[in-house]
Amino acid sequence: MLDHVEPIAAQPIEPFSTEHESFKSTKPETLGRFVGKHFIYTYENGWHYETYIRSAYSADFRIHSGLLTGRWVTDTKVHLVRITDDICKMSWCEPTGTCVSLLFNLGNRRMHGTIFFPQWIAKNPKEAIVHENEHDAEMQAFRNAGPTYPTMVIDEFADISFMEDCGTENNKVIACSSTELPKGYASRKN
Amino acid sequence: MLDHVEPIAAQPIEPFSTEHESFKSTKPETLGRFVGKHFIYTYENGWHYETYIRSAYSADFRIHSGLLTGRWVTDTKVHLVRITDDICKMSWCEPTGTCVSLLFNLGNRRMHGTIFFPQWIAKNPKEAIVHENEHDAEMQAFRNAGPTYPTMVIDEFADISFMEDCGTENNKVIACSSTELPKGYASRKN
């Protein structure tokens, strides 16, 4: 029954692109309350993360603790949509193969994240602890080398401990790894 | 720089399992309004879908039109969480490798779906048009054969045209392919 399934073939490494994705569901005119927001939050599994919504189509991330402490990503393309006046949903797929879908609720300062990690990150997370933008081809090489499955599914709520407006396309919000930040940066509350 | 990346190796096909996933974020006591709900909805890209929330931890799906018309899945394990009184989020990863994160808003009868399809489904969707439960090993074989990348990201809003309560663990809600249903079944509105 399965003998017509071909074995895995090596995949060529091309520049990472979202050109084939439709971004029609993103309506910038509905996202005014969300664009520019900068969040620091801690998942209930203890992972400490930071996100900056740079524009209606892009975001920055930095990881303070968890499986990937030290990883950061700037100006990555995301799908951002308004769910209610308080809630936005942001989804994207990374050069690592990781797929992510986050909800931020500005009203009660809670968020919920679902992260689908390929198995290679579960087995060897240190390879993904980089400023991803400088390592796109390397991340895609790890992605293609796999193993991809079983997918590691993380589904967690978080409390937003710090929230501010930083305007759009602000390169100063997330500009280094969490390991290079002044002490106390990520533990601020407001 | 990339020469330490090993080529892809064939992955063994084991029974599909979510045993390694934590379901701690699911709080059944918060999900009373969502469990038992049966939805028919049409994405803005025209894809016509149906979902039944069977329990706090499982759901059924049927596809009426779109890339995978005729595909259906019953009693599949999902991560279901309450976001507000009106909104729940449901996420899961399939034996096909497809990862999904859906929001249902009972208040305004809108939903939003993000679907991360592996490339093999984009290239050859007909292989996934089955009652998945009877083809787990075959789906995993296609999944492992790939290609997995580039991921096809679908990010779409939908209107919920039909919504009802069907109770829990009801095997009569989704019990056949969309191609076997009486005419008019999926076009009902309420």
Side-chain angles (χ1 to χ4, degrees), chain A residues 29-35 37 39 81-89 104-108 163, chain B residues 84 86-87 105 108 157:
Chain A
E29 68 276 15
T30 68
L31 298 171
R33 194 170 173 215
F34 306 110
V35 171
K37 280 285 185 301
F39 305 104
V81 296
R82 174 198 173 279
I83 302 299
T84 70
D85 284 348
D86 282 339
I87 301 174
C88 66
K89 183 184 184 195
F104 292 96
N105 187 334
L106 309 188
N108 64 5
M163 182 165 80
Chain B
T84 70
D86 282 340
I87 300 174
N105 186 334
N108 64 6
F157 282 102

Side-chain angles (χ1 to χ4, degrees), chain A residues 1 5-6 8 11 20 25 82 89 91 93 101 112 114 138 141-145 149 151 153 155 157, chain B residues 1 4-6 8 11 20-21 25 82 89 91 101 112 114 138 141 143-145 149 151 153 155 157:
Chain A
M1 185 177 179
V5 176
E6 296 288 320
I8 287 173
Q11 295 174 41
H20 53 288
S25 64
R82 174 198 173 279
K89 183 184 184 195
S91 306
C93 193
S101 192
H112 183 276
T114 306
E138 194 178 359
F142 281 114
R143 178 194 81 173
N144 291 355
Y149 304 107
T151 305
V153 182
D155 191 86
F157 282 102
Chain B
M1 183 177 182
H4 62 298
V5 177
E6 296 289 319
I8 287 174
Q11 295 175 42
H20 52 290
E21 297 177 24
S25 64
R82 175 199 173 278
K89 183 184 185 195
S91 306
S101 191
H112 183 276
T114 306
E138 195 177 0
R143 179 194 80 172
N144 291 356
Y149 305 105
T151 305
V153 182
D155 191 86
F157 282 102

Side-chain angles (χ1 to χ4, degrees), chain A residues 74-135:
Chain A
T74 46
D75 200 12
T76 202
K77 200 92 187 257
V78 298
H79 296 261
L80 182 67
V81 296
R82 174 198 173 279
I83 302 299
T84 70
D85 284 348
D86 282 339
I87 301 174
C88 66
K89 183 184 184 195
M90 182 159 64
S91 306
W92 73 96
C93 193
E94 301 180 349
T96 61
T98 304
C99 295
V100 187
S101 192
L102 308 181
L103 284 188
F104 292 96
N105 187 334
L106 309 188
N108 64 5
R109 295 179 52 136
R110 289 275 281 175
M111 68 83 67
H112 183 276
T114 306
I115 312 175
F116 301 99
F117 283 114
Q119 187 61 217
W120 76 263
I121 289 191
K123 284 190 164 166
N124 200 10
K126 70 175 170 24
E127 301 295 358
I129 297 174
V130 293
H131 180 212
E132 180 172 84
N133 306 59
E134 297 163 38
H135 297 270

Side-chain angles (χ1 to χ4, degrees), chain B residues 14-31:
Chain B
E14 293 170 3
F16 189 70
S17 167
T18 56
E19 276 171 32
H20 52 290
E21 297 177 24
S22 166
F23 287 82
K24 278 187 190 167
S25 64
T26 294
K27 309 289 184 197
E29 67 277 15
T30 69
L31 298 172

